[in-house]
Amino acid sequence: MYALILVLGVILVSSPAKAETESWKTLNTAGMLAYKERNFVMAQEMFYRALDALGGTTEPDPRIATTLNNLGATHEALGEYEQAELRYRHALTTIESIQGPDHPDIVVGLNNLASLYFSQRAFDKAEPLWQRGLSISERFLGDTHPHLIRTLLTLGLVTQVQHKFDRAEPYYIRAIQIGRQALGTDHPSLIPLYERYASFLRQADRDEEAQVVDRQVEAIRTANTRSPPE
């Protein structure tokens, strides 16, 4: 699996675990550093040069997917959404051709493309991509792994903004259940999960239920501010 390197709305990726030409590695790293510094024009130039360094590659190569994904991120940052979509899609199909359609490596590409669609309010395109990513993660991590929480909250949000309340609620509830199981019932990291759920309930005109959730949040805060026994 190629390593995740940066989360800035999209996820950039570093070199996959295979031998690579030094020029590609150097250029890709330079592009990532420029992206981190928000110099997106320079980052884009470095990534295009990194892609050119692989010009002689004839077989499917994960380095190509890496660079295409990173190029998509720079295009998106510069507001070049059509180019971003093309790069993300090309990266996704490249890694699918290498690893197969159900490999966890493709989850990064699915998430980046879905995030692009979400930012453009193309919710009907974003939702199935996140659902596919969730299904892949579940197969490899199991149904109760804490790493699923972020995707569950995202799916809750994307269905909520479409007013698909009956579909949104189970995502929020499941995220909370996984969090409680992993962290315990009073862990402060549960507070954002409950707050997101309360916000959903209010949008669904279920204010009394939202107030119950609010009280759960306050109980967690109280439990974590209580002075330890002497």
Side-chain angles (χ1 to χ4, degrees):
M1 184 181 297
Y2 52 101
L4 306 191
I5 187 66
L6 184 64
V7 179
L8 288 174
V10 295
I11 302 174
L12 271 68
V13 288
S14 61
S15 59
K18 64 171 289 181
E20 65 276 306
T21 61
E22 186 62 30
S23 59
W24 175 84
K25 182 177 181 180
T26 299
L27 291 165
N28 191 68
T29 300
M32 290 163 59
L33 291 173
Y35 187 97
K36 187 175 182 179
E37 295 172 357
R38 302 187 63 81
N39 188 344
F40 303 125
V41 173
M42 177 62 71
Q44 191 174 89
E45 179 183 346
M46 292 298 102
F47 291 138
Y48 271 113
R49 288 173 59 185
L51 199 60
D52 288 341
L54 300 175
T57 304
T58 57
E59 297 182 358
D61 190 326
R63 295 172 297 176
I64 294 175
T66 292
T67 308
L68 288 168
N69 181 82
N70 294 347
L71 273 171
T74 61
H75 281 298
E76 183 175 358
L78 292 168
E80 300 164 352
Y81 300 121
E82 290 185 7
Q83 286 296 317
E85 180 181 2
L86 288 173
R87 301 307 179 197
Y88 285 146
R89 284 197 170 279
H90 192 180
L92 189 57
T93 56
T94 299
I95 205 67
E96 282 178 327
S97 70
I98 299 168
Q99 304 283 29
D102 298 320
H103 195 279
D105 277 5
I106 72 170
V107 173
V108 169
L110 291 169
N111 289 344
N112 284 351
L113 186 57
S115 294
L116 175 67
Y117 287 142
F118 186 89
S119 70
Q120 298 176 293
R121 302 185 66 81
F123 305 128
D124 57 329
K125 293 182 179 180
E127 183 183 347
L129 294 172
W130 275 316
Q131 287 175 332
R132 183 181 169 194
L134 177 64
S135 296
I136 293 171
S137 296
E138 286 173 333
R139 280 196 290 274
F140 283 86
L141 299 175
D143 294 337
T144 59
H145 198 285
H147 286 175
L148 301 179
I149 290 175
R150 180 178 179 181
T151 305
L152 289 167
L153 293 177
T154 301
L155 279 165
L157 178 60
V158 75
T159 47
Q160 179 182 341
V161 297
Q162 297 176 82
H163 292 266
K164 300 175 181 178
F165 298 136
D166 58 331
R167 290 172 55 184
E169 185 169 19
Y171 291 126
Y172 291 128
I173 292 175
R174 186 176 167 201
I176 291 170
Q177 290 172 337
I178 292 174
R180 286 168 59 95
Q181 180 176 332
L183 301 171
T185 58
D186 293 329
H187 198 283
S189 294
L190 295 174
I191 290 175
L193 309 186
Y194 280 115
E195 289 179 335
R196 185 80 70 86
Y197 182 41
S199 177
F200 158 78
L201 291 170
R202 287 191 169 87
Q203 186 179 356
D205 294 324
R206 294 162 60 183
D207 290 346
E208 290 186 4
E209 293 172 78
Q211 290 172 16
V212 172
V213 177
D214 289 340
R215 288 193 287 273
Q216 290 175 296
V217 170
E218 289 307 312
I220 294 173
R221 288 199 174 103
T222 299
N224 284 276
T225 56
R226 197 177 291 141
S227 298
E230 297 182 0

